Amino acid sequence: MRAVVTGGAGFIGSHLCGRLLDEGYEEVVCLDNFLTGKPENIAHLMPRQGFSLLRCDVSEGIAVAGPVDAVLHFASPASPVDYLRHPLETLRVGSDGTRHALDLATAKGARFVLASTSESYGDPEVHPQPETYWGNVNPVGPRSCYDEAKRFAEATVMAYRTVHGTDAGIVRIFNTFGPRMRPGDGRVVPNLIRQALDGEPMTVSGDGTQTRSLCFVDDLVDGVLKMVRSGVSGPVNLGNPYELSMLELAKWIAELTDSVSGVTHIPLPVDDPRRRRPDITLARTALGWEPAVSVEEGLRRTIDWFATNRVPALVLGA
Ligand code: NAD
Ligand code: UDP
């Protein structure tokens, strides 16, 4: 078995590459241009038999010789700070990058899985969000480069299924956290953990009552691998339905890190979704998947990792 993972040097992609090798894939080819990923994320995989890295921009094209059984398309900036910094690259990897990854899967007769997102629902008016909800996306707001790129990517997957019969599926991933998130990537979990560990006040945007539902990366990877092995087209929500406000999250991280530096409020980003929680009925029934790691346990493991992989704030530019 041979898998290709685009964005394999990113946070989720690096966990996926490792798990594919652990679960019997003889070869895993990681494609990445290091736009937001890091060589360190895959350094432990480089010596492993069957793992290879191809440094390339998948928006320009993908050339992988030989047979391929699965293509997992995870390349894309994912943190709002990253995609606001790279809006055109984000649109291109969602459009051209997705098309190139689908062409590869189609040519090789491989299973294809697209990493889509809960941002497809925008600022949702239906709560929790089932896959049947069409969403509430501002098509010209600052987040649109990401939301619309992923929605276009989903439409491309559906068209390839219809036109070429590609064995392609879509997972809509809700906020996922864990080891190997970039401490400076701007997302709430790495930001608050780094700040708490460095004795800085934790930045909570707005009044902190907005909610998210956080899934530990090992659980998410389980769900993605179940999707790869299935013939399900989806879209299928993958996330942990445990919902909490950002103020509750900050208090939790303060307790787990013994931080006393408190909270400071920063402006709420434009179009920041008010609340978000996945309805995972479909993942339970179609994939037999649900999260197994509690948010508290996931936070403990993530804090441990950040504590042993400290990067000075100066280096982060934070
Ligand atoms: P990440 O930024 O850590 O990883 C993305 C990877 O894609 C990076 O290694 C980056 O260098 C690579 N990449 C970007 N553009 C590329 C290009 N044109 N060619 C080759 N490589 C490219 O982000 P992540 O959190 O690991 O997210 C991975 C995927 O999962 C993304 O597609 C994201 O949209 C999706 N997702 C993530 C979350 C989450 O909470 N982490 C939620 C929803 C969806
Ligand atoms: N957020 C925050 N403090 C930060 C970074 C983010 O309070 O330092 C908020 C952000 O405004 C949003 C939530 O935390 O309401 C989740 O943000 P993140 O960027 O992690 O992901 P999103 O779900 O918005 O893509």
Side-chain angles (χ1 to χ4, degrees), residues 63-87:
V64 175
V68 176
D69 301 288
V71 177
L72 287 69
H73 182 41
F74 277 68
S76 172
S79 155
V81 169
D82 286 339
Y83 60 70
L84 294 177
R85 194 179 288 148
H86 301 291

Side-chain angles (χ1 to χ4, degrees), residues 80 143 175 187-188 191 203-205 210 212 269 272 276:
R143 298 172 89 97
N175 297 64
R187 288 184 275 195
V188 69
N191 266 12
T203 50
V204 170
S205 68
Q210 72 275 21
R212 294 295 186 270
D272 197 86
R276 184 181 283 161

Side-chain angles (χ1 to χ4, degrees), residues 78-81 83 117-119 143 146 175 181 185-192 195 202-206 208 210-212 214 246-247 249 266-269 272-274 276:
S79 155
V81 169
Y83 60 70
T117 169
S118 53
E119 282 276 330
R143 298 172 89 97
Y146 183 66
N175 297 64
M181 293 188 95
D185 90 354
R187 288 184 275 195
V188 69
V189 171
N191 266 12
L192 300 193
Q195 290 158 347
M202 288 177 286
T203 50
V204 170
S205 68
Q210 72 275 21
T211 68
R212 294 295 186 270
L214 303 175
M246 295 305 96
L247 215 42
L249 175 65
I266 57 172
L268 193 67
D272 197 86
R274 277 294 313 153
R276 184 181 283 161

